[in-house]
Amino acid sequence: MRLPKPIKLNDSKIFRWMMILFERAKEIGEEGEVPIAAIILDDQGRCIGHGRNQRNKQSDPLGHAELIALRQAAWIKGDWRFNECTMIVTLEPCQMCAGALIQARMGKVIFGADDKKRGGFGGAINLSTHESAHHKMIVRGGVLREQSKKQLENWFIEKRQQKL
């Protein structure tokens, strides 16, 4: 049995989605959350899940944008398997989220800035290529990297200045 492949997205469509996510991340940052946003597209290119960081607002250590998008998409899809789907997120998923994406059998993950401290897809460790990974996925990082990195850096600078 052949599994469906994720939709092919050209750079123009990916950049448009990332710009939407940057706008959402900006709103999230203004609310005091780390500005990270994620979406899941089905094999037709439709958004079936979106998430934003809500750890502080919900007092939830699992309130990561990727996990929220996964829960929503699973509910809409009526399935926990995402072989044909694509996640787009502004920051490289952490190791917890990377593990969840592998468990969910996500077809493709596209992200903006790398996370050298906690990244699960190459920043700190690459779980998608680890010998223990039972599911292989396509991972593309560095899409609009500088813009994503700058958005996060500026948010953290502003937060530090507010504490002074």
Side-chain angles (χ1 to χ4, degrees):
M1 178 175 108
R2 289 191 67 206
L3 296 174
K5 298 224 183 262
I7 187 171
K8 292 188 180 192
L9 295 169
N10 62 33
D11 283 347
S12 175
K13 286 182 182 177
I14 294 169
F15 293 160
R16 278 199 308 259
W17 278 114
M18 282 296 263
M19 296 310 289
I20 292 167
L21 291 175
F22 288 146
E23 281 302 312
R24 289 211 56 190
K26 181 181 177 202
E27 294 167 7
I28 295 160
E30 290 169 356
E31 295 173 12
E33 295 284 351
V34 178
I36 301 169
I39 58 164
I40 296 176
L41 305 175
D42 69 8
D43 60 345
Q44 303 298 308
R46 298 175 296 211
C47 178
I48 60 169
H50 59 88
R52 47 175 277 160
N53 270 12
Q54 294 187 23
R55 291 191 319 168
N56 293 323
K57 183 177 180 183
Q58 300 293 328
S59 296
D60 181 3
L62 304 178
H64 290 218
E66 300 92 332
L67 299 182
I68 293 165
L70 271 173
R71 283 188 199 112
Q72 185 180 76
W75 184 82
I76 288 170
K77 193 172 185 263
D79 194 2
W80 60 268
R81 296 169 195 87
F82 293 90
N83 293 294
E84 75 286 359
C85 296
T86 299
M87 172 171 275
I88 303 175
V89 60
T90 54
L91 178 66
E92 176 184 358
C94 71
Q95 295 166 35
M96 174 180 67
C97 292
L101 291 165
I102 291 167
Q103 291 297 320
R105 300 183 180 144
M106 187 63 62
K108 186 175 192 176
V109 177
I110 299 169
F111 63 86
D114 305 322
D115 186 346
K116 299 293 182 197
K117 291 182 181 177
R118 294 171 226 46
F121 288 131
I125 187 171
N126 194 339
L127 296 177
S128 70
T129 60
H130 192 272
E131 64 185 42
S132 67
H134 66 282
H135 170 73
K136 303 300 180 202
M137 66 179 70
I138 300 164
V139 177
R140 178 180 174 196
V143 175
L144 299 175
R145 174 184 284 126
E146 291 307 314
Q147 188 169 348
S148 179
K149 184 178 172 184
K150 199 66 160 166
Q151 185 176 44
L152 286 161
E153 286 174 348
N154 289 343
W155 185 83
F156 280 108
I157 288 168
E158 188 176 309
K159 279 296 189 192
R160 284 184 203 108
Q161 288 174 345
Q162 288 175 357
K163 289 182 180 180
L164 297 179

